[in-house]
């Protein structure tokens, strides 16, 4: 959930001084030492991450009622999949029709003496039409899945937001997982917290 603001790679945990009393776990960019140019973003310890989460979440909670109200207004339109489902059905029908046309022309060519250049031109055109519809269908299916997933994640986000009374004073793993999409670490230790409802603090 922690991203390097310089190269876009994810942060990973590293153990420093693993065999001594100074042992500590830090988080740093996984790409930091893999290229010629080292990322300038700093490593973070767990307390810094938790502190950033608490500060950002409390700012979010100050606008809790407005966030919930805005979601309830947008919910019926932003996550509606009816148009996409209709498009999916149309494309599935198109695939069926074109598949039949391809089979018909293959059968015709097998039983009738056709001009082979003309046959190849028609066949190639139908295959291209089929491939285009198939690619569109795959895109639409992914868009439907994406809307459903984002809707579910946002419902969990808002449920936990609603259940939170007052500001938080300590790190809560449940809130961390349900509210935060990811953190972005910038130079000089500035941290942006991106929440699952699209707000960045």
């Amino acid at each position: 959930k922690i991203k390097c603001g310089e190269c876009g790679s994810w942060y990973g945990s590293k153990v420093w001084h693993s065999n001594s009393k100074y042992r500590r776990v830090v988080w740093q960019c996984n790409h930091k030492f893999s290229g010629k140019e080292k990322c300038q973003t700093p490593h973070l310890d767990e307390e810094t991450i938790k502190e950033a989460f608490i500060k950002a979440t409390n700012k979010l909670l100050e606008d809790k009622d407005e966030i919930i109200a805005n979601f309830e207004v947008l919910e019926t339109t932003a996550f509606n999949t009816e148009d996409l489902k209709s498009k999916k059905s149309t494309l599935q029908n198109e695939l069926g029709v074109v598949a039949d046309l391809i089979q018909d022309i293959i059968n015709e060519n097998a039983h009738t003496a056709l001009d082979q250049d003309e046959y190849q031109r028609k066949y190639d055109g139908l295959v291209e039409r089929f491939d285009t519809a198939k690619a569109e269908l795959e895109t639409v299916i992914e868009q439907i899945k994406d809307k459903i997933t984002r809707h579910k994640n946002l419902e969990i986000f808002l449920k936990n937001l609603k259940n939170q009374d007052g500001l938080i004073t300590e790190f809560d793993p449940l809130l961390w997982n349900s509210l935060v999409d990811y953190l972005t670490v910038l130079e000089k230790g500035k941290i942006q917290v991106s929440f699952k409802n699209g707000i960045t603090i």
Side-chain angles (χ1 to χ4, degrees), residues 54-81:
I54 291 167
K55 281 183 180 178
T57 301
N58 283 336
K59 282 186 182 178
L60 186 80
L61 288 167
E62 288 170 8
D63 299 321
K64 172 178 154 180
D65 294 339
E66 185 183 343
I67 290 167
I68 292 166
N70 287 343
F71 171 75
E72 286 168 352
V73 169
L74 287 171
E75 186 174 19
T76 52
T77 54
F79 301 105
N80 190 302
T81 58

